[in-house]
Amino acid sequence: MPLKPPQSPSPPPTLQVGAEQAALAASFVEESRALLEEAGDALLALERDPGDQGAINALFRAVHSIKGAAGLFDLPALVHLVHAGEDLLGAMREGRVRMDGAAADELLEGLDHVGQWIGLFQQGGALPPTAMEIARRFAGAYRLRLEQTDGPAQPAAAAGGRIRHDWAEAQVAAIRDAGGQDGPLVTVEYCPDATCFFSGEDPLHVARTLPGLVWFAIAPREDWPAAPLFDPYVCNLRIRLASCAPVEAVEEHFRYMPDAVTIGLLDEVAPSPAAAGPAAAALPPLAAELVEAQRRALAEPARAGQVDDIAATLRNLCAALGRPVPFGDAPDAEALAVAVAALLAPGPPADDAAAVVADTPGDAAPIAGPSRPDTAERTLRVEQGRIDMLMNLVGELVVAKNALPFLARDAENRFGSRELAREIKDKYAVIDRITRQMQGAVMGIRMMPVSDLFKRFPRLVRDIARKQDKRVQLVVEGETTEADKNVIEALAEPLTHILRNSLDHGIESGAARRAAGKPEVATVRLVASQEGDSVVIAVSDDGRGVDPSRVRAKAIERGLIDAERAAQLTDEQAVQLVFLPGFSTAETISDLSGRGVGMDAVRSVVERLGGEVTLRSQHGEGTTVRLRLPLSMAVTRVLTIDLAGQAYGVPMDLVVETVRADPAAIRRLKAAEAIVLRDTVIPLVRLRAMLGMEPHHPPLESVLILRLGDAMVGLVVDDFGTSMDIILKPFSGILANMSGFSGTAVLGDGRVLLVLNLKEML
Amino acid sequence: MPMRLDRACAVLEGHCTVEEAHDLAEWLVTGRAREANLAACAGLHAAVLQCLMALAPQIVARPADPALGLWLDAALPAPVPLPPEAPPQKAARAPRRRRKAAAAT
């Protein structure tokens, strides 16, 4: 009862409280997410090396902070679970319990639940009724683990006779007064270790949360050093506490820092007559706070009608403190004011001063106000939607800008003004330059490091490895490599797939690895790097690699390729067969991968992003999958081509050259056509035929030479257009699944350009 | 952001964690006439409290949380409220005097 926070003095408008609470909740959610992530990482590190003191401290601190923050809200289940976890971690930190795989599983699972709950809390503010049950189950599991390994010699802290703290005897009156009761009190002298901040201990929090706290004093242990020498991370605090809780509860509370505390007892004393002495005359801090609140309430003219309430509060307070009530039965406001002043008069100066400060909040604010310089934060958190809008606007600007050359042409041809045309072109050059810079800037904003993507993988690898009873270490490199947010986000699924494949099919069991003379712990490397305009992500393992003969056999069995053609393939080519749709080599379908949607899904995603996948594998030695993606998908450079009067776009990076060929130079090999160009035979494909249009035979064939993977292909079109930068908009809605085209773009003259997806078509 | 360091006033908001202690200490050491505004402070790490105790910035506003306020009262010397038209020299003198007093004891 004593230190329960009083109802806030002069109740602030509820609206403000609500807003504050919401802001607090939002920061709690954000903070806890970060802490959970930290905890997850630390837990994984700890599992790898159970002796990692840094990791256990980080983990403990993270969990402890979550617990502390969660305590502010009505989340009993969450606190219960985290508290039990904290106990277990505390034991691990002291070396009483060892971390092992099973314990890590339980802890990770618990963290997952906490994460879920925080998500629910964010959405609806309340946890499901099952939460407490889950929390109890986990807490039970943690406690069991704790008990199994916990030695019985735990409470060795302060056996035998209780110490009597001299200071407690000296201030017995004040302590008793604050305690408001005569029962035995527990006194605690708590001198936290100088380095305690580094182990995640927050002495103030520990002290504040002491059960039954009735009195406290806090002071430096030694004089503070001169300001320049002051180190905020050397703890120099001495906290003295008195509690009305049982000794066991107090001991339990300080169980993590038995060396830092001495726990004493303040026996029952006959209420000393000192109660009337000068020390006791002062109100206990809490009571002073309450009286102060009444004083402020009285001063407010709007509360003139509530004099009775104030009188009742004061009367109760005096009764609780065992003091005479300093006013009559039906006091008026004036009499009350006198009584309040009398109550406050001998109070500690702190309260008076505080009262003045609180009394003049208008003064406090302006002091801080004008002196606040424009130190805007260095970083800005912006909703992605806004950036996307900016990006779209820049895109529109690019399109609008592209209309200017058309206008210049019109000025010259239709209106016969060369001069105007030239001027428009000049202005166009300026706008073009600015637009490019703007585009670059907006794209820069959208760049994010791949670490945001990679951070989920250590957990994934760990979970899969444990499920399969394999030992795997994941090495991540190049996390700072940046790429467009869309690229990063789109890569999550393919990379997960590749990693799963690697762990499921690539990495052998421990026994097989030993037999093959490999280290038992397999290594999976996840490496990102930037190469020119693209980002390259490589996943390599040192597993068994892909067996070309098995791939061939499987491909034939599935009818993906005929035996004759399979036999012709080199081993390297055979390995690429895994990219064919419907290919899966796993003998048994596991719940991880091998559902028949494998590498082809990866390839289609990556190609949709304008990238490419390559797979290199050495049988018996490992596999490397390389994803190569454009840094940004925002602007695509295309070559326009003309086909039956309609413009189409071909991604510029595929185009090798454009050729005008005499139809006579085209060789026919049965149904197929080919052209010999600089001693190379290049197969030809007619785009009209592919799109089901009427054949067209101009005197000179326009052939677009393209490079697709390692092969060259000649694409016969009607005519070539120009090259231009476009903002490619993928199809949406019912057109989303249309094959053959990767999207559309609006041209400067308002026409729509269809961009061909040649990788898919050819 | 639990802590904002303005030119003359450190504004502590929400829960000030151990990380804030370093910045706060640095900021308090590099200049005098510093003030701390704890009105919106909901929790303090002991390391932050230490900074307030050792470097004694002027507390211009107590935390709204009364429980936390009691702890601050116990740890810190009484806050000196500024008169409305506070001459800046006065603010500068107060912490210095306090530090000298601590050294004398």
Side-chain angles (χ1 to χ4, degrees):
Chain A
M1 171 223 157
L3 250 178
K4 222 169 27 178
Q7 310 90 325
S8 45
S10 65
T14 45
L15 198 93
Q16 191 189 336
V17 173
E20 261 169 34
Q21 185 78 3
L24 206 59
S27 75
F28 162 67
V29 167
E30 197 176 311
E31 205 177 292
S32 305
R33 288 251 162 82
L35 286 167
L36 276 177
E37 215 163 85
E38 212 174 283
D41 287 351
L43 196 51
L44 293 184
L46 199 61
E47 194 190 10
R48 243 174 280 135
D49 174 14
D52 188 342
Q53 206 58 34
I56 182 107
N57 285 337
L59 180 56
F60 186 83
R61 198 187 54 209
V63 170
H64 184 81
S65 309
I66 294 173
K67 189 187 81 171
L72 290 170
F73 305 97
D74 186 25
L75 298 168
L78 199 156
V79 175
H80 187 64
L81 198 164
V82 178
H83 185 75
E86 192 191 357
D87 283 351
L88 180 59
L89 290 172
M92 284 179 181
R93 189 161 68 154
E94 287 159 27
R96 285 188 284 129
V97 179
R98 261 191 76 77
M99 172 66 90
D100 56 29
D105 275 346
E106 279 173 11
L107 286 167
L108 278 173
E109 220 178 308
L111 287 181
D112 287 348
H113 278 295
V114 172
Q116 252 173 32
W117 291 341
I118 288 173
L120 288 173
F121 172 71
Q122 187 183 19
Q123 286 161 16
L127 299 188
T130 51
M132 199 62 203
E133 205 174 301
I134 295 173
R136 284 213 191 90
R137 186 156 50 79
F138 275 94
Y142 296 162
R143 295 254 150 79
L144 194 67
R145 210 163 265 286
L146 203 57
E147 277 159 25
Q148 278 168 355
T149 24
D150 215 354
Q154 212 253 318
R162 291 279 158 205
I163 315 160
R164 291 179 76 91
H165 285 126
D166 293 342
W167 51 264
E169 307 287 334
Q171 299 182 47
V172 65
I175 295 173
R176 285 267 164 229
D177 201 12
Q181 52 176 297
D182 308 326
L185 291 178
V186 183
T187 57
V188 181
E189 171 135 343
Y190 174 30
C191 294
D193 188 65
T195 59
C196 70
F197 295 151
F198 294 102
S199 53
E201 192 176 328
D202 180 358
L204 187 59
H205 179 78
V206 171
R208 285 185 67 181
T209 51
L210 178 69
L213 181 63
V214 293
W215 180 91
F216 55 82
I218 184 164
R221 218 176 313 164
E222 290 158 22
D223 283 345
W224 296 110
L229 297 176
F230 171 68
D231 179 350
Y233 291 132
V234 173
C235 183
N236 182 28
L237 293 175
R238 191 200 59 210
I239 303 175
R240 289 171 169 169
L241 305 159
S243 157
C244 61
V247 155
E248 294 75 29
V250 175
E251 269 174 0
E252 162 82 3
H253 185 74
F254 287 104
R255 66 197 176 285
Y256 296 130
M257 41 284 237
D259 303 332
V261 289
T262 55
I263 298 176
L265 272 183
L266 194 58
D267 297 327
E268 252 165 287
V269 213
S272 64
L283 292 175
L286 181 69
E289 189 84 24
L290 271 173
V291 175
E292 176 53 40
Q294 304 311 317
R295 193 185 67 77
R296 256 176 286 154
L298 262 181
E300 270 181 52
R303 295 181 178 271
Q306 298 173 15
V307 171
D308 287 346
D309 296 347
I310 295 168
T313 308
L314 287 174
R315 207 172 282 134
N316 291 341
L317 190 67
C318 290
L321 294 172
R323 288 168 176 245
V325 180
F327 47 82
D329 276 348
D332 57 4
E334 227 165 279
L336 271 183
V338 173
V340 167
L343 276 172
L344 279 174
D351 289 313
D352 282 348
V356 182
V357 169
D359 213 17
T360 53
D363 295 336
I367 288 169
S371 63
R372 196 173 300 151
D374 295 338
T375 46
E377 279 180 43
R378 288 290 178 85
T379 57
L380 203 59
R381 299 176 76 106
V382 184
E383 232 177 285
Q384 197 194 335
R386 296 185 184 206
I387 302 288
D388 287 346
M389 194 173 91
L390 192 58
M391 178 96 146
N392 281 336
L393 288 175
V394 172
E396 308 257 334
L397 191 60
V398 170
V399 170
K401 168 206 82 175
N402 283 343
L404 288 179
F406 289 96
L407 182 64
R409 201 185 54 198
D410 271 4
E412 188 170 343
N413 295 349
R414 275 175 52 196
F415 304 106
S417 171
R418 276 196 91 105
E419 212 165 309
L420 181 60
R422 206 176 47 242
E423 232 161 83
I424 293 175
K425 277 182 190 158
D426 278 356
K427 292 283 172 288
Y428 169 72
V430 174
I431 297 174
D432 186 49
R433 180 172 52 81
I434 298 174
T435 318
R436 264 172 215 283
Q437 283 176 355
M438 245 171 95
Q439 225 172 38
V442 175
M443 274 188 284
I445 297 175
R446 292 174 52 91
M447 293 297 229
M448 64 187 236
V450 291
S451 56
D452 285 21
L453 169 67
F454 283 6
K455 67 187 172 194
R456 72 179 77 183
F457 293 129
R459 172 80 193 271
L460 177 86
V461 168
R462 178 209 170 266
D463 284 358
I464 299 176
R466 272 195 62 79
K467 215 175 268 180
Q468 303 210 334
D469 208 15
K470 293 172 180 173
R471 294 181 60 198
V472 181
Q473 64 159 337
L474 178 70
V475 179
V476 179
E477 286 172 26
E479 297 113 305
T480 52
T481 312
E482 289 193 327
D484 189 272
K485 190 163 191 288
N486 286 352
V487 175
I488 298 271
E489 279 169 358
L491 273 181
E493 210 175 314
L495 272 180
T496 308
H497 219 96
I498 294 169
L499 278 170
R500 278 187 172 160
N501 265 334
S502 188
L503 288 160
D504 202 15
H505 308 312
I507 305 291
E508 314 91 328
S509 65
R513 286 185 68 87
R514 267 197 307 276
K518 292 183 189 180
E520 202 179 324
V521 178
T523 306
V524 175
R525 298 167 65 85
L526 184 58
V527 182
S529 58
Q530 191 179 338
E531 281 181 18
D533 270 350
S534 37
V535 55
V536 176
I537 297 179
V539 181
S540 49
D541 65 59
D542 61 351
R544 64 168 76 94
V546 180
D547 182 350
S549 54
R550 261 184 69 211
V551 170
R552 278 198 194 94
K554 201 78 175 182
I556 296 166
E557 180 196 315
R558 302 254 154 144
L560 300 171
I561 190 173
D562 56 53
E564 220 170 292
R565 211 160 123 56
Q568 283 171 1
L569 296 173
T570 62
D571 279 359
E572 200 174 307
Q573 285 169 327
V575 167
Q576 309 301 325
L577 292 174
V578 298
F579 286 116
L580 291 176
F583 184 95
S584 177
T585 53
E587 262 92 30
T588 55
I589 288 178
S590 72
D591 67 332
L592 297 172
S593 48
R595 290 199 189 89
V597 284
M599 296 305 284
D600 67 306
V602 171
R603 188 167 71 168
S604 69
V605 169
V606 171
E607 288 187 349
R608 200 167 56 229
L609 294 175
E612 57 181 23
V613 194
T614 52
L615 186 145
R616 296 242 143 72
S617 180
Q618 194 69 39
H619 184 41
E621 285 172 26
T623 309
T624 301
V625 180
R626 268 167 64 97
L627 311 181
R628 188 191 184 90
L629 293 134
L631 276 182
S632 162
M633 311 190 301
V635 174
T636 319
R637 197 159 181 81
V638 294
L639 179 72
T640 58
I641 54 169
D642 190 62
L643 202 67
Q646 162 81 42
Y648 293 90
V650 175
M652 201 58 155
D653 52 348
L654 297 179
V655 177
V656 179
E657 61 179 318
T658 57
V659 180
R660 305 261 187 201
D662 188 343
I666 295 176
R667 315 279 176 96
R668 264 169 220 288
L669 306 157
K670 293 185 185 163
E673 289 179 310
I675 187 172
V676 177
L677 198 69
R678 289 189 283 277
D679 297 336
T680 314
V681 182
I682 297 172
L684 284 189
V685 181
R686 288 181 183 273
L687 191 55
R688 274 181 172 252
M690 288 177 72
L691 297 178
M693 294 177 185
E694 289 291 311
H696 169 75
H697 292 289
L700 269 183
E701 299 276 17
S702 305
V703 182
L704 199 56
I705 309 293
L706 307 168
R707 181 185 294 279
L708 293 174
D710 292 332
M712 304 271 266
V713 179
L715 187 71
V716 183
V717 298
D718 284 7
D719 202 358
F720 306 121
T722 54
S723 71
M724 59 172 72
D725 285 336
I726 55 155
I727 306 281
L728 185 62
K729 299 234 156 103
F731 289 116
S732 56
I734 54 167
L735 291 178
N737 292 321
M738 194 155 88
S739 63
F741 297 97
S742 46
T744 59
V746 182
L747 295 182
D749 56 359
R751 281 185 300 159
V752 172
L753 184 76
L754 281 167
V755 180
L756 299 168
N757 186 348
L758 291 168
K759 282 183 187 165
E760 197 179 291
M761 289 169 81
L762 296 175
Chain B
M1 259 324 245
M3 187 173 74
R4 223 170 51 234
L5 299 176
D6 289 343
R7 204 169 56 229
C9 188
V11 183
L12 306 189
E13 289 168 345
H15 281 260
C16 297
T17 62
V18 67
E19 282 82 11
E20 261 78 53
H22 179 256
D23 293 345
L24 180 63
E26 221 168 50
W27 185 82
L28 288 173
V29 166
T30 49
R32 289 164 304 168
R34 299 302 199 186
E35 295 164 353
N37 179 342
L38 284 87
C41 181
L44 274 183
H45 191 276
V48 179
L49 180 70
Q50 265 204 148
C51 293
L52 297 177
M53 291 168 72
L55 303 172
Q58 183 152 337
I59 309 293
V60 293
R62 282 163 43 91
D65 176 359
L68 184 64
L70 296 180
W71 278 93
L72 276 177
D73 291 343
L76 299 177
V80 183
L82 287 180
E85 302 296 317
Q89 299 93 331
K90 204 169 177 190
R93 225 176 305 136
R96 230 184 303 151
R97 217 182 10 221
R98 214 173 292 134
R99 219 172 295 143
K100 230 178 274 168
T105 48

